[in-house]
Amino acid sequence: LISLVPSTVTMSCVYALRNSRDLRTINCTTIRFGKSFLPYSISGWNNLDWNIRTLNYSKFRTHLFRSVRPTRYNHFNFGSRFSCVLLTRLRIGTCSLNYSLFIRGLTASPACSCGCQYETVTHYLLHCPLHNVQRSELLSKLSGILGHCVNFHTLSDKAKQLLILNGSPVYSFLVNCKIMSIAQNYISATKRF
């Protein structure tokens, strides 16, 4: 693979440029090719801070894992293994919702069966009319657990989604386990997966 990696900009240009330490990018005639391994990796490498690029292998690997992997909390393991797997897939975007499948080229349309243009995680958790009954139970239970600490209904959709899927480091392990349990019950009640 090393023979496929292009040289730095400095080696192909005599001028002192700001991007002289970057790898030369590969000309991509299609978006699909631009998202393939080598062009995508070169772009990712060039976007890294110079201090990170110069780290030795073990430190670079540690830094990379910290930035790519989501923070793991003990309450992520609460509940049945299957429910935990489904929650993790929703959390990291590899679930079998149509939008996720469409992005990976596994389905022809990102649309939801309710008629919405995109079946995203946010749509599934918070907006899909096919799951209104289950969602009302989810939201009422969450509001009951959070009590006066947070008015769940005033949170943004992104904050609601993060709370449902990840819990919060602000809350105790017990409260986060309850949140995970409620989210898992919602997922099983919708019978979507």
Side-chain angles (χ1 to χ4, degrees):
L1 282 177
I2 195 73
S3 64
L4 298 175
V5 177
S7 61
T8 60
V9 173
T10 311
M11 293 183 174
S12 61
C13 182
V14 294
Y15 302 107
L17 302 173
R18 284 179 289 188
N19 67 342
S20 62
R21 297 183 239 177
D22 288 355
L23 295 175
R24 282 189 341 207
T25 55
I26 297 173
N27 292 331
C28 303
T29 55
T30 63
I31 293 171
R32 186 174 184 165
F33 179 63
K35 291 181 179 180
S36 66
F37 175 73
L38 204 54
Y40 184 79
S41 299
I42 290 170
S43 174
W45 178 261
N46 288 340
N47 288 331
L48 285 174
D49 185 60
W50 178 250
N51 296 330
I52 296 166
R53 287 195 232 175
T54 57
L55 294 174
N56 66 33
Y57 174 74
S58 63
K59 288 181 181 178
F60 177 78
R61 187 170 179 248
T62 303
H63 175 77
L64 186 65
F65 282 148
R66 278 192 205 133
S67 64
V68 174
R69 289 184 179 168
T71 306
R72 185 183 171 112
Y73 297 104
N74 289 334
H75 60 269
F76 285 178
N77 296 325
F78 181 80
S80 72
R81 173 147 166 60
F82 182 68
S83 296
C84 290
V85 167
L86 290 178
L87 263 177
T88 300
R89 287 179 182 169
L90 286 169
R91 200 178 291 124
I92 64 175
T94 58
C95 56
S96 59
L97 294 175
N98 286 337
Y99 183 74
S100 179
L101 294 174
F102 180 76
I103 285 177
R104 292 181 280 154
L106 300 174
T107 189
S109 169
C112 181
S113 54
C114 75
C116 181
Q117 188 175 6
Y118 300 111
E119 187 186 29
T120 61
V121 174
T122 304
H123 172 75
Y124 167 71
L125 290 174
L126 303 172
H127 302 295
C128 186
L130 299 175
H131 310 301
N132 279 342
V133 174
Q134 296 90 344
R135 185 176 308 103
S136 65
E137 186 177 333
L138 166 83
L139 297 178
S140 68
K141 285 183 178 180
L142 279 175
S143 295
I145 285 177
L146 301 177
H148 300 292
C149 300
V150 172
N151 186 350
F152 186 77
H153 300 289
T154 61
L155 296 174
S156 68
D157 284 352
K158 182 76 173 167
K160 288 177 186 175
Q161 178 181 326
L162 283 171
L163 185 62
I164 293 168
L165 296 178
N166 297 316
S168 173
V170 173
Y171 301 119
S172 68
F173 174 73
L174 222 54
V175 171
N176 280 313
C177 286
K178 288 179 183 177
I179 293 170
M180 294 299 106
S181 175
I182 291 168
Q184 291 168 359
N185 290 341
Y186 172 79
I187 293 167
S188 65
T190 61
K191 296 182 171 72
R192 174 62 182 79
F193 304 103

